[in-house]
Amino acid sequence: MIHNRIKEKCADQAVYYLVTNRIAGGRMLFKDREKYKLKELLFAGRAKLSYEVIDYVFMGNHFHLFIKIPPMSHMDDVELLARYRLYKNNDEVNFINSKQKDDFKEKIHDISFVIGNFEQRFVQWFNRVHNSWGRLFGQRFDSEMVEVSHQSDSLLRVMAYISLNPVRAGIVTDPKDFFFCGYADRLAGGGVGNCDNDFFDLFCRNIVAVGIKDKQKHFREVFRAYMLGLRRYKNADSKTVREYLRTESNLSAEALQWDDLFIHKCRFFTKCLVIGSEAFVREKLAKFSDKMKWKRIHKPYTEDDWNDIYSLKPRRRGNPAG
């Protein structure tokens, strides 16, 4: 079913999205070969379009991506032309005029174009390799705008939701052992994690770090502690978490209980429009309500034990607010 999508033009600030799509009919068509290709295309696309991969997981019949769209103001004309030539596969092509340049710049910062390009390239490859034709995905991808700030645990919660997919599916007992996910990629020094030093500044305050590598290491330890179910600690910079990391972060995979799997499985993530603090959700609600022309009432929604994380999802008229 066609659904509304909330997205920003990200002129002067980065915007983050959780993206999900599934194979039509739930068929388990993503084998290792397909997952390798998905990963290849996802990271190769960064050279042509403007996005960064914060996290990802490729399962047998669906994928989740956590994507950062950088501010358009951070891209100068030299970089823009280089991306345009890669996109056109022509080292000599130039923009015809300023309008074409501006249109291309806006397009490569648009989450719809970024994911549409990624999916189209994969479907073309899949159909060619498998001698098939037609649609592969059941519908348009879902996307949720995610707040990334010190005011909300949304970043950590969304990353945990993504990383724990193969654990929930019973494939591994620890996400570090699943090759086709961002968590294992991070630990192996792969293509994700470039923003982890920025996330350290948001979520690991009062933890001493020297240099970017140290920041990345500490953020990953805090994130692992978060996945281990430390829901009772509202902030990742608490002394309790620091003490935990110092004394218990070497637990074996067999000892991990992942006691928050049920909460992470909630459709709270993939069937809403915005994820963040109540203030963030209300801001987007006020900004986009008229444009979306909703027939149902939309209000910030949350559940118990969500550390004050809210979503924006449809509410039927007459129902009490979440």
Side-chain angles (χ1 to χ4, degrees), residues 76-90:
D76 59 26
D77 288 349
V78 174
E79 181 183 354
L80 183 65
L81 180 59
R83 291 179 185 267
Y84 184 66
R85 287 175 171 174
L86 284 173
Y87 179 73
K88 292 292 188 180
N89 195 26
N90 185 334

Side-chain angles (χ1 to χ4, degrees), residues 16 146-156 198-205 234-237 276-277 280 307-309:
Y16 296 79
V146 180
E147 178 182 18
V148 175
S149 77
H150 62 84
Q151 300 175 14
S152 173
D153 287 350
S154 303
L155 170 89
L156 299 172
D198 297 327
F199 300 153
F200 171 91
D201 294 336
L202 288 175
F203 298 102
C204 308
R205 297 181 301 279
K234 280 185 170 291
N235 298 309
D237 60 358
S277 64
F280 182 80
N307 284 4
D308 297 322
I309 299 174

Side-chain angles (χ1 to χ4, degrees), residues 204-266:
C204 308
R205 297 181 301 279
N206 300 325
I207 298 178
V208 177
V210 180
I212 291 177
K213 293 295 184 183
D214 202 21
K215 285 185 174 184
Q216 291 175 339
K217 175 178 178 293
H218 280 303
F219 171 73
R220 293 164 191 179
E221 289 177 337
V222 167
F223 173 56
R224 185 171 182 83
Y226 192 89
M227 279 198 297
L228 281 168
L230 300 181
R231 299 193 306 277
R232 58 190 178 277
Y233 308 122
K234 280 185 170 291
N235 298 309
D237 60 358
S238 69
K239 291 181 180 178
T240 306
V241 171
R242 292 208 306 281
E243 292 169 0
Y244 173 87
L245 294 174
R246 187 167 59 249
T247 60
E248 299 185 51
S249 60
N250 293 322
L251 287 172
S252 67
E254 291 74 21
L256 301 180
Q257 297 300 314
W258 307 117
D259 63 348
D260 157 81
L261 288 180
F262 175 76
I263 291 179
H264 283 299
K265 192 176 180 181
C266 182

Side-chain angles (χ1 to χ4, degrees), residues 22-29 60-62 136 138:
R22 300 178 180 277
I23 295 176
R27 294 169 294 168
M28 305 292 286
L29 299 182
N61 64 354
H62 70 280
L136 177 64

